[in-house]
Amino acid sequence: MTFALGVVPVALLLLGFPIYIVVLASVSVALVFFMNIPLAALHQNLFGAIDIYALLAVPYFIYAGELMGRGSVAQRLVDFVEAGVGSVRGSLGVTTVGTSAIFGAISGASAATVATIGRVMLPAMRKAGYPEKFTAGLITSVGAIDIIIPPSIPMIVYGMAAEQSVPRLYAAGVFPGLLLAAMLAAYVIWFARRNGIGAGEAFDRKRFLRASGRGIWALGAPFIILGGIYGGVFAPTEAAGVACVYAAFVTRFVYRELSWREIVQAAANTAFFTGQVLIIVACAAVFAWLLTVNQVPATVVGWLQSLAIPNWALLLSINVVLLAIGCFLDPLSAILLLSPLLVPVIKAAGIDPIHFGIIFTVNLAIGLFHPPFGMNIFVAQSVLRLELPVIYRGILPFLVIYLVALMLITYIPEISLSGVRWLLRVG
Amino acid sequence: MVDRQIDRAMRALEFVLAVAFCLAVVLNFVNVIARYVFNNAIHGADELQVQVLIAMAFLGAAIVQCRGQHLRMDVLANAMPHAIRTALRALEALLVIALAAFTVVQSARYTFQMYTLARTSDALGMPVWTSHLLVVIGFGLIALAALWRVLSGRPDVTGDRT
C-alpha cells in the first residue's frame, strides 16, 4: 500500500506527469492490486467530489475575475487608490499594494493580478524613478495577497478538503490579508523615504472625487461579494454568481468595453480553467478517501503524538514543508494532496482548522513568488518583460516581509480568528 | 487535417460549455432574486447549476487534455535531456490511455447500473445516469486524445491556448 499511495505519486510527480494522472495512477494501483473494495468506489468518489453545489463558487469567482480583469477596470482602481494616497511618499508603490488588495477582493486570481496591475503600474513606477529591482520585486510579490484576501479560491478548496465553513475561512482571511498589505505599504514608504524617491503631491479632493466616480462601479464588486456574505444576505456560491452578473453588467453596459462575444469568450476561458482544476479535485477526492479508509491520517497522528512535539514546533515544521512544496506545486493541488494528512494532525494537536486554513493559504501564497519557480515570477517575466535576475534580487526583501507576516499569523491565532468573531459575530 | 478537426470539435465543445455556464450564471442570479426578494426559490435551480459544473469538470478536462495543458510539476522533467523528455511524454500518453480507459469501464458500469435501476434526482426527477455519463464521456475523450497523440507519433506535443 505504501507503494501505491506513497512511491507511485511521488515518482510520477517528479517525472512531470499531469497531477490528475499522478493521483489517478496512485488510486488505481491501490484499488486493483492492494485492496478488496468494489471498483465502483473509483467512480463514486470521482463523481461525488464534483456533485457539490458549494464547489460552483470556484468557476463563478474565476468568471467574475475574468470579466473585471478586461477593459479599464484595473486603470480605474489604480486611479482611485492613487488619488487617495497621492500625498504619501512612495505613493505609486502604495497604490500598487492597495490596488492589488482591492483586485484580490474581486477575483482572487494571483497571476492575473500581477499581469493586470503590473501592466498599469510598471511604466508609471519606471517613469517616477523607482529602481527596476524594487519595482520588479513589488509587482511580482504583491499579487500573492489575492489568495489571502477573500474571495479566495484556495480557501474554497481547503474548506471542502478539510470540511470547514468557507464564510468562516473568508472572515479569517481578512485581517491577515490587510496585515500583509499594511506591512508591504510600510516597507514601500520606508524605502521611498530612504532613497528620496516618489515624493507625494498634496491631496486633491476634486481629483479624488473624480477618480472615485470613475471607479465606483469597479469598487462595487467587493462590496457585493463580501458585504453579501458577511451581511448574511447570500451564501458564498450565490455571492459569486451575483458578482458574475454584476461584472458582466458593469463591463458591458456601464463601461461599454466588452462585447457579448467577449463575455462568452471569458466564459470559455473559465470552462477551460475549471476543467484544469476540478479534474484534480475529483481525483484527489479518491486519494483522500483511500488514505482515510487505510487509516493513514490516524497513523500519522498517532506517530506524531508519540513524539510529543510541542505545537509551536509542529507548526514550524509544517510551515517549512509547505513553503518547500509551494515552490513546486500550485496551491490547489497542494491543498488537495496534503489536507487529508495535515488536517487530522493539527486537529489532534488542538489547533483551530480555520486558523490552519489561513496558515496553509499564506504558505502557498508565498510559494507563488518564491524563487526559483514561483508562478508569478514567470508571469512577470513573460507578460511584463522583466529580467529574471532582476526579479529574483528584487523579490528578496518582500519575501522577508511575507515570512515575518507568516510567523505572526502562525503564532498569533487572533489575527485570523478575530475576523471570524467580528465579521460573522460568532464566538 | 485530423488535428484541425479535433481542434474544431474541442472549440465547439468549449463554446457549448461556455454558453451553458452563462445560462447557469443567469439561473443563479434569477434564483437569488426569487429566493430573497420573493421568498420563493426556483425548484431545481441548484441541481441544474451542478449539472453544468459536472460537465465543465469532466468535458473541460478532455479539452485541456487535447491541448496538452493539464497542470503538472515539470521543473525536473524540463531539466532532462530531450531524448528522455520525449520518452517520458510517450510513457505519459500510454499511462493516460490505460488509466482513462480503466476509469471509463468503471464509470460506464456504474452509469449502466443507474440506468437499469431508473434512479432519478431528488429535485427535478431527472434520470441520474445522464450526469454520470458525463464522466464516461470526459474520460473517453481523454483516452482518445492521448491515443491520437501516440498514433500520430507526437506524444510530446503540447497544444497552444489560443
Side-chain angles (χ1 to χ4, degrees):
Chain A
M1 187 55 74
T2 311
F3 173 78
L5 298 180
V7 178
V8 170
V10 171
L12 295 182
L13 197 68
L14 291 176
L15 290 174
F17 284 29
I19 291 160
Y20 85 99
I21 285 297
V22 168
V23 185
L24 194 57
S26 172
V27 298
S28 300
V29 169
L31 281 170
V32 173
F33 297 108
F34 296 98
M35 294 179 76
N36 192 19
I37 288 178
L39 294 175
L42 174 67
H43 174 84
Q44 283 172 321
N45 280 286
L46 278 174
F47 184 83
I50 306 299
D51 188 20
I52 297 171
Y53 177 71
L55 200 58
L56 270 162
V58 173
Y60 283 168
F61 277 131
I62 293 169
Y63 188 44
E66 270 275 341
L67 291 169
M68 291 299 254
R70 294 169 182 231
S72 66
V73 170
Q75 184 66 59
R76 288 168 194 265
L77 290 176
V78 165
D79 292 344
F80 165 74
V81 179
E82 200 183 345
V85 300
S87 58
V88 177
R89 185 173 275 279
S91 60
L92 282 177
V94 177
T95 299
T96 306
V97 176
T99 312
S100 296
I102 295 174
F103 215 74
I106 296 174
S107 80
S110 182
T113 303
V114 171
T116 312
I117 305 297
R119 276 196 200 104
V120 180
M121 294 312 298
L122 183 66
M125 288 180 73
R126 271 182 182 153
K127 200 175 162 191
Y130 285 81
E132 188 80 352
K133 198 174 71 173
F134 174 84
T135 308
L138 175 64
I139 288 172
T140 308
S141 62
V142 79
I145 292 183
D146 283 23
I147 67 165
I148 303 166
I149 289 182
S152 157
I153 290 162
M155 282 184 201
I156 298 172
V157 175
Y158 173 83
M160 288 189 53
E163 295 178 351
Q164 296 300 314
S165 148
V166 174
R168 281 187 176 217
L169 284 163
Y170 277 4
V174 172
F175 291 130
L178 293 177
L179 171 74
L180 258 167
M183 287 171 72
L184 289 171
Y187 173 69
V188 167
I189 293 168
W190 175 82
F191 182 88
R193 281 193 181 154
R194 186 165 170 249
N195 293 282
I197 51 174
E201 295 168 5
F203 180 74
D204 183 341
R205 199 164 59 91
K206 276 186 184 166
R207 182 186 167 207
F208 180 71
L209 289 174
R210 209 169 39 242
S212 303
R214 286 190 75 234
I216 196 155
W217 284 96
L219 288 164
F223 279 102
I224 287 180
I225 296 169
L226 302 181
I229 295 171
Y230 300 141
V233 181
F234 0 85
T237 308
E238 291 169 334
V242 171
C244 293
V245 174
Y246 180 82
F249 174 77
V250 170
T251 50
R252 176 73 184 92
F253 295 108
V254 180
Y255 295 159
R256 297 168 191 268
E257 289 170 339
L258 258 61
S259 63
W260 288 114
R261 191 190 175 91
E262 285 170 306
I263 287 172
V264 175
Q265 183 55 48
N269 287 353
T270 305
F272 184 86
F273 185 77
T274 304
Q276 243 180 353
V277 171
L278 291 197
I279 194 70
I280 302 175
V281 172
C283 294
V286 193
F287 187 75
W289 176 76
L290 278 179
L291 287 179
T292 310
V293 166
N294 286 288
Q295 298 192 316
V296 177
T299 310
V300 173
V301 168
W303 176 67
L304 282 171
Q305 280 175 338
S306 72
L307 295 176
I309 301 174
N311 277 3
W312 69 266
L314 176 69
L315 285 171
L316 187 67
S317 321
I318 290 175
N319 276 343
V320 171
V321 171
L322 290 177
L323 281 172
I325 286 174
C327 294
F328 300 98
L329 213 54
D330 70 281
L332 301 186
S333 306
I335 288 169
L336 289 165
L337 295 178
L338 296 175
S339 291
L341 282 176
L342 294 179
V343 173
V345 171
I346 61 102
K347 275 184 179 170
I351 296 162
D352 191 311
I354 295 286
H355 174 216
F356 182 67
I358 305 305
I359 298 173
F360 210 146
T361 309
V362 175
N363 270 294
L364 299 175
I366 294 172
L368 286 172
F369 70 91
H370 193 302
F373 303 121
M375 185 176 67
N376 290 357
I377 294 174
F378 301 107
V379 172
Q381 186 196 21
S382 64
V383 179
L384 306 176
R385 310 269 176 228
L386 288 165
E387 289 179 20
L388 213 50
V390 175
I391 300 174
Y392 281 161
R393 286 202 303 275
I395 276 173
L396 291 177
F398 297 100
L399 184 61
V400 172
I401 292 169
Y402 270 85
L403 289 175
V404 171
L406 173 64
M407 286 302 115
L408 293 173
I409 291 162
T410 300
Y411 293 113
I412 309 175
E414 279 304 297
I415 295 174
S416 308
L417 299 179
S418 57
V420 181
R421 277 199 301 278
W422 290 0
L423 293 167
L424 297 177
R425 296 175 194 89
V426 291
Chain B
M1 181 66 182
V2 178
D3 279 336
R4 207 181 305 158
Q5 295 297 333
I6 291 173
D7 185 53
R8 203 177 284 176
M10 287 302 123
R11 278 176 193 275
L13 180 58
E14 195 176 44
F15 178 74
V16 171
L17 289 177
V19 172
F21 180 65
C22 289
L23 293 175
V25 168
V26 173
L27 181 60
N28 173 78
F29 183 71
V30 174
N31 192 37
V32 166
I33 303 279
R35 179 174 289 164
Y36 298 111
V37 179
F38 299 106
N39 210 15
N40 192 8
I42 299 170
H43 187 65
D46 294 354
E47 189 181 307
L48 279 173
Q49 291 174 69
V50 173
Q51 297 293 315
V52 174
L53 180 74
I54 295 168
M56 283 167 73
F58 293 104
L59 303 183
I63 297 170
V64 180
Q65 180 69 38
C66 281
R67 293 178 184 157
Q69 294 199 333
H70 272 294
L71 297 174
R72 60 178 83 224
M73 191 188 91
D74 54 5
V75 177
L76 289 177
N78 284 343
M80 291 179 185
H82 180 72
I84 295 179
R85 277 209 313 269
T86 307
L88 279 175
R89 293 292 79 85
L91 182 65
E92 176 190 316
L94 293 174
L95 190 61
V96 171
I97 294 167
L99 290 170
F102 174 68
T103 311
V104 165
V105 171
Q106 303 313 323
S107 296
R109 277 184 184 158
Y110 193 91
T111 305
F112 186 68
Q113 217 175 343
M114 292 295 106
Y115 173 75
T116 50
L117 290 171
R119 290 275 305 274
T120 53
S121 62
D122 296 335
L124 291 173
M126 279 167 46
V128 296
W129 67 267
T130 51
S131 47
H132 286 272
L133 188 64
L134 292 167
V135 184
V136 182
I137 296 170
F139 276 97
L141 290 173
I142 286 172
L144 288 175
L147 184 64
W148 171 244
R149 284 272 164 82
V150 173
L151 292 177
S152 62
R154 294 171 300 124
D156 60 334
V157 173
T158 54
D160 294 322
R161 177 92 183 102
T162 52

